């Protein structure tokens, strides 16, 4: 447990430093947004591209691994959607936001800085990020922008718009381009590789600091009024998803590296990207902001436990 704490605590210390900077008004919300944009548009894509481009590409042997994750993630999404509609009486768009927050984890800003320090975990983790970026983000965006209750018709335009947003996502594009370079066995010139690695090194600390600031400045409504919804999101995100993933990895005979990466990936707290999307659409954003705060605090325990169990 102590080695796992030694690995996890510096990560959460950087988040705490960002949170302090935000609460103390040392960093304003617009400044944190600029830092987030730097990470999102430049640093993180550089880190992901060079990692994918210089590692063996995925093959047919990875289909059971990705299939287990997608089956569990899509299942959790729709179970959460139905629960939100039936138990909490939410509209379709609100239920979509609830399901999105129960499924999409903070894989980039929190998980990636950890996983890139563990030998053998990076490649399977990035593969799951690619699946999540293409399937789960598109699914969540489609429901959040769905027609309001009482309106008729299926929003094909919303689905097409969601796919276009995913296609323009620089993180998804960087991973796809990196995998293409690796599959085509194209060499990366040494100056270019050094450039991408140097730029990519800024991604982890900057992302974690920006996450802390975002948590500090995000609006938070009364937690007690949303206790049932927050409990449901937390149970799905931090217990059901990693627990089912662990079981699924055992059933398909996954390698220890695949199992550790997959369980860590699914034990991430609710992603800040969910708040960005819901705030833009003005749907369920206060509950999502509270869920990000609660699950991020609890993830100190869940991430430490995963590292202790699978990276001993």
């Amino acid at each position: 447990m102590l080695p796992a704490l030694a690995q996890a605590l510096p990560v959460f210390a950087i988040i705490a430093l960002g949170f302090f900077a935000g609460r103390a008004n040392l960093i304003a919300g617009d400044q944190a947004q600029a830092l987030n944009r730097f990470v999102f548009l430049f640093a993180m894509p550089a880190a992901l591209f060079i990692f994918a481009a210089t590692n063996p590409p995925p093959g047919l042997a990875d289909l059971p691994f990705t299939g287990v994750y997608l089956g569990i993630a899509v299942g959790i999404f729709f179970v959460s959607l139905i629960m939100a509609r039936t138990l909490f009486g939410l509209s379709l768009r609100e239920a979509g936001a609830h399901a999105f927050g129960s499924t999409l984890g903070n894989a980039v800003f929190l998980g990636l800085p950890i996983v890139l320090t563990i030998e053998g975990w990076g490649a399977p983790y990035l593969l799951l990020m690619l699946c999540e970026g293409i399937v789960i983000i598109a699914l969540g965006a489609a429901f959040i922008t769905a027609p309001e209750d009482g309106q008729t018709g299926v929003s094909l335009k919303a689905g097409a718009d969601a796919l276009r947003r995913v296609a323009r996502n620089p993180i998804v594009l960087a991973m796809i381009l990196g995998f293409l370079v690796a599959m085509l066995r194209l060499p990366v010139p040494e100056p270019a590789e050094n450039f991408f690695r140097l730029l990519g090194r800024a991604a982890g600390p900057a992302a974690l600091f920006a996450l802390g600031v975002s948590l500090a400045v995000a609006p938070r409504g009364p937690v007690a009024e949303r206790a049932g919804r927050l409990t449901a999101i937390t149970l799905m995100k931090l217990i059901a998803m990693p627990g089912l993933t662990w079981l699924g990895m055992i059933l398909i005979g996954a390698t220890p590296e695949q199992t550790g990466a997959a369980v860590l990936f699914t034990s991430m707290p609710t992603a800040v990207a969910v708040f960005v999307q819901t705030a833009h659409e003005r749907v369920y954003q206060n509950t999502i902001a509270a869920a990000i705060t609660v699950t991020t605090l609890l993830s100190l325990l869940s991430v430490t436990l995963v590292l202790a169990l699978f990276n001993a």
Side-chain angles (χ1 to χ4, degrees):
M1 183 66 77
L2 288 179
L5 279 172
Q7 197 167 35
L9 282 178
V11 171
F12 287 95
I14 297 176
I15 297 174
L17 182 63
F19 185 86
F20 168 77
R23 295 292 285 179
N25 293 321
L26 298 175
I27 302 290
D30 56 348
Q31 293 171 318
Q33 186 178 12
L35 184 58
N36 262 319
R37 287 185 65 80
F38 163 71
V39 173
F40 182 75
L41 294 174
F42 299 104
M44 195 63 75
L48 295 176
F49 169 78
I50 198 61
F51 188 90
T54 55
N55 281 279
L60 291 176
D62 296 307
L63 286 177
F65 174 69
T66 56
V68 165
Y69 163 72
L70 285 175
I72 292 170
V74 172
I76 291 287
F77 185 96
F78 282 104
V79 168
S80 299
L81 182 78
I82 293 169
M83 286 178 59
R85 294 280 279 170
T86 57
L87 294 182
F88 304 127
L90 301 181
S91 70
L92 181 61
R93 297 179 70 187
E94 290 171 335
H98 180 95
F100 201 22
S102 302
T103 311
L104 190 73
N106 206 349
V108 176
F109 290 159
L110 177 56
L112 199 59
I114 296 174
V115 80
L116 291 180
T117 66
I118 304 174
E119 186 174 356
W121 287 28
Y125 191 94
L126 285 180
L127 190 56
L128 295 184
M129 280 185 60
L130 185 62
C131 295
E132 181 182 68
I134 294 173
V135 177
I136 304 303
I137 290 179
L139 191 62
F143 272 93
I144 290 172
T145 57
E148 295 282 1
D149 287 351
Q151 295 181 359
T152 59
V154 178
S155 182
L156 295 178
K157 182 180 182 299
D161 289 343
L163 290 176
R164 279 194 289 269
R165 283 194 293 270
V166 172
R168 291 195 298 263
N169 187 308
I171 290 175
V172 176
L173 284 176
M175 286 188 289
I176 292 174
L177 290 175
F179 282 129
L180 286 175
V181 168
M183 285 190 292
L184 295 174
R185 302 182 185 277
L186 298 176
V188 180
E190 185 176 355
E193 181 175 349
N194 291 338
F195 165 77
F196 285 116
R197 292 195 186 281
L198 180 62
L199 180 59
R201 287 192 195 105
L208 295 170
F209 186 86
L211 172 60
V213 177
S214 298
L215 290 174
V217 301
R220 287 177 294 277
V223 173
E225 294 179 7
R226 304 183 177 91
R229 304 175 191 178
L230 292 176
T231 299
I233 292 174
T234 301
L235 290 176
M236 287 294 185
K237 189 69 209 67
L238 297 184
I239 296 179
M241 276 198 77
L244 290 172
T245 300
W246 188 2
L247 178 61
M249 293 298 120
I250 293 173
L251 291 176
I252 66 170
T255 66
E257 291 80 12
Q258 288 177 321
T259 302
V263 176
L264 180 67
F265 185 86
T266 52
S267 65
M268 289 294 105
T270 300
V272 176
V274 180
F275 174 76
V276 173
Q277 179 74 22
T278 55
H280 177 72
E281 300 294 338
R282 298 182 180 181
V283 177
Y284 210 59
Q285 65 266 35
N286 289 335
T287 298
I288 291 297
I292 291 170
T293 303
V294 170
T295 57
T296 299
L297 289 173
L298 291 176
S299 69
L300 175 58
L301 298 176
S302 65
V303 169
T304 302
L305 181 61
V306 169
L307 293 175
L309 289 173
F310 299 100
N311 190 41

